[in-house]
Amino acid sequence: MPRAGSSRDRLTSPKSDRVRAVHALTRRVARSREGAFLVEGPQGVREAVRHRPDLVREVYVTDAAAERYRDVLDDADDARIPVIAVDDAVLAAMADAQTPQGLLAVVRTPRADLDAVLAGRPQLLCVLTHVRDPGNAGTVLRTADAVGADAVLVSEGSVDVLNPKVVRSTVGSLFHLPVVTDLGVDEILTRVGDAGIRLLAADGHGTRLLTDPGVEAELREPHAWVFGNEAWGMAAPTRDRCDEVVRVPIHGHAESLNLAMAATICLYSSARAQHPG
């Protein structure tokens, strides 16, 4: 394979069939049909190439990005991933982002299985139920990665985690931990609970505060944080299925916290309890 900066295949027509096929992956129906999705931007492509090279089908790069991100292309070459040079106009025609950053990869859909996750005796799980906003979903996934969560479980009725906006907002974390999707809320809660993992609903209706000493003690044991929808919160049946309903204390006049912010506080509280010091 050629090293970064050497002669490569070049794609120059924004109207070519290949360009149209890549751009089609911005739509869910095409992602499902092809079993692939887009990763845009240097950090996302870097993490895909380094952590899941087996999934990366090809990388597209502009001349300027080839000079700036030689390390990414070197890793792609080492992994025998095809790298195709493109003009700026071609990358813009492929991408979902309004201002592409010179690198784009087509990646096969990763598969994660809840049985495998539970067999690993997880200590910390993150469950998203009916979360619809791509930015929130991506940020929570990135936070779960940062705190060392064992997996993220995303229920049916939530945003597609392979949506380009979600993928961009994870900044590569999508390739660092299992993300299980397309399971019903009841199935997730039943199987996680049956595995002996405590279910903690993060909800403003909670009678216990996250800062209560008793809650902190519980966070040292295996548990799953369950988060609800951004607009209407957590459905009452979901809340009732959980072992505890916990709320983040609000000392000022704000009515509530953004979902991603509340999830960050809860997940970091778990990380502090499980990894003191």
Side-chain angles (χ1 to χ4, degrees), residues 8 16 20-21 24-25 27 46 51 64 79 94 101 108 114 116 122 151 172 179 204 208 231 238 243-244 258 274:
R8 298 186 182 277
S16 72
R20 284 195 290 267
L25 297 175
R27 301 189 297 273
R46 178 181 286 111
H51 292 271
M94 289 178 167
Q101 298 178 58
R108 296 178 185 88
L114 183 54
V179 181
R208 301 188 70 185
T238 300
D243 297 296
E244 293 281 357
N258 167 274
Q274 293 186 351

Side-chain angles (χ1 to χ4, degrees), residues 19 147 251 259 268:
V19 171
V147 303
H251 303 292
L259 167 67
Y268 266 99

Side-chain angles (χ1 to χ4, degrees), residues 67 157 169 171 185-186 195 197 207 213 217 222 242 245 260:
E67 291 297 322
S169 63
V171 199
V185 174
D186 286 344
I197 298 168
T207 55
C242 293
V245 183

Side-chain angles (χ1 to χ4, degrees), residues 23-109:
H23 182 72
L25 297 175
T26 61
R27 301 189 297 273
R28 187 167 191 164
V29 63
R31 293 194 294 273
S32 297
R33 182 180 65 244
E34 299 297 329
F37 65 105
L38 295 183
V39 179
E40 301 174 83
Q43 188 59 29
V45 174
R46 178 181 286 111
E47 298 307 297
V49 168
R50 289 183 176 175
H51 292 271
R52 292 304 309 267
D54 56 308
L55 296 178
V56 183
R57 213 166 71 184
E58 65 248 4
V59 172
Y60 297 90
V61 60
T62 63
D63 292 342
E67 291 297 322
R68 187 171 184 180
Y69 304 113
R70 285 177 177 269
D71 62 317
V72 180
L73 302 190
D74 283 346
D75 288 343
D77 287 343
D78 289 343
R80 303 186 67 81
I81 298 167
V83 177
I84 298 96
V86 296
D87 297 339
D88 290 343
V90 170
L91 194 76
M94 289 178 167
D96 173 76
Q98 292 293 316
T99 54
Q101 298 178 58
L103 271 175
L104 180 149
V106 174
V107 180
R108 296 178 185 88
T109 302

Side-chain angles (χ1 to χ4, degrees), residues 96-144:
D96 173 76
Q98 292 293 316
T99 54
Q101 298 178 58
L103 271 175
L104 180 149
V106 174
V107 180
R108 296 178 185 88
T109 302
R111 304 295 179 189
D113 179 75
L114 183 54
D115 287 334
V117 168
L118 296 177
R121 302 178 66 85
Q123 297 298 299
L124 175 60
L125 297 174
C126 175
V127 181
L128 300 182
T129 64
H130 303 112
V131 171
R132 304 286 176 81
D133 181 79
N136 275 333
T139 300
V140 174
L141 200 156
R142 186 179 180 187
T143 301

